[in-house]
Amino acid sequence: MPELSSSATNTVFVVDDDAGMLESTQWLLESVGLGVKAYSDGRQFLDEVNEHRPDCVVLDIRMPGLGGLNVQEELQKRDIDVPIIFVSGHADVPIVVRAFKSGAFDFIEKPFNEQLLLDSIQQTMQTPRAPKNPVAISQDAENLISTLTRRERDVFLPLAQGYTSREIAEQLGVSVKTIDLYRARVMKRLGADRLPDVTGIAIAAGLLNPEELRAS
């Protein structure tokens, strides 16, 4: 497996209460030349993060005690700016929305493709740490959405809200097959590989509010 283009100081902190997932993720990252520090719970990670600043954090959402979103909130309180890649086997839309609104870099569903995680980590190391410009981010999202046709836009928002193809079909009075077709077209136009990407674009454009989310 090729090494990531990183300096000797590049270190990824991995926080996951699943011992098997923690070990396999650590092995994967070390196999491409990254330094790794592994933690089985959020509190243990927070106890050390002040002394050893990571270049990136791979953080599980659902953990006993202090969950991933709580860890993210604590990092913000401490004014620690570090890219967070959330991983979760339960990527329901309200959680994805909260994570992205709080500045998550990426959100990857378990079981994840190894290359997908490596690509995301590589992007965090290539992305400048300059403060984000909300206006520019919003404009980029709006530009992407503007490429959608009227019918694709009809599918885009409920898709971002977490509705299934069947539920969207019932809303619009068309077949599930038709919605599946438009769903694929929407994701292609937006350059989105996964549902969290669609949700993130809707958030950035200011089109998605917590009140509009599908109840989980």
Side-chain angles (χ1 to χ4, degrees):
M1 186 176 294
E3 293 194 1
L4 294 178
S5 56
S6 59
S7 72
T9 59
N10 284 142
T11 303
V12 179
F13 283 16
V14 183
V15 189
D16 199 318
D17 66 300
D18 183 327
M21 180 64 69
L22 185 64
E23 183 178 0
S24 63
T25 303
Q26 180 175 4
W27 179 88
L28 170 67
L29 302 186
E30 288 177 342
S31 73
V32 295
L34 290 169
V36 181
K37 291 182 70 69
Y39 302 90
S40 59
D41 67 79
R43 181 59 61 190
Q44 180 189 22
F45 160 70
L46 289 172
D47 287 343
E48 293 194 21
V49 72
N50 285 326
E51 297 182 14
H52 308 283
R53 293 295 176 90
D55 294 281
C56 171
V57 179
V58 177
L59 181 60
D60 189 24
I61 280 280
R62 297 180 185 271
M63 295 183 290
L66 205 62
L69 292 173
N70 299 121
V71 172
Q72 181 187 37
E73 183 179 352
E74 182 61 30
L75 289 173
Q76 291 174 336
K77 288 179 180 177
R78 299 184 187 184
D79 199 27
I80 297 176
D81 181 21
V82 57
I84 296 176
I85 299 172
F86 279 112
V87 293
S88 176
H90 308 277
D92 54 277
V93 172
I95 288 179
V96 174
V97 169
R98 183 177 166 189
F100 274 122
K101 285 177 75 70
S102 296
F105 186 87
D106 202 354
F107 197 115
I108 301 176
E109 294 182 66
K110 295 179 180 179
F112 50 77
N113 177 280
E114 292 182 351
Q115 191 59 51
L116 184 65
L117 177 62
L118 293 176
D119 288 346
S120 187
I121 291 173
Q122 179 79 326
Q123 288 172 22
T124 71
M125 295 176 181
Q126 293 176 342
T127 302
R129 295 290 186 86
K132 297 177 182 177
N133 184 332
V135 175
I137 293 173
S138 177
Q139 188 60 57
D140 288 343
E142 290 174 6
N143 290 341
L144 282 173
I145 294 170
S146 70
T147 66
L148 302 177
T149 66
R150 182 183 63 83
R151 200 54 165 165
E152 288 167 352
R153 287 176 66 96
D154 289 340
V155 173
F156 163 69
L157 192 55
L159 179 63
Q161 291 171 308
Y163 288 95
T164 66
S165 292
R166 183 171 297 280
E167 290 168 333
I168 299 173
E170 292 174 355
Q171 292 177 20
L172 300 180
V174 297
S175 70
V176 175
K177 185 176 181 180
T178 297
I179 294 301
D180 284 339
L181 173 64
Y182 275 101
R183 176 181 176 132
R185 286 169 55 175
V186 166
M187 296 187 73
K188 182 176 180 180
R189 284 185 188 273
L190 297 179
D193 297 320
R194 298 163 292 121
L195 178 58
D197 297 331
V198 178
T199 303
I201 291 170
I203 294 169
L207 298 178
L208 193 59
N209 299 316
E211 294 78 11
E212 299 173 318
L213 294 176
R214 177 180 183 271
S216 59

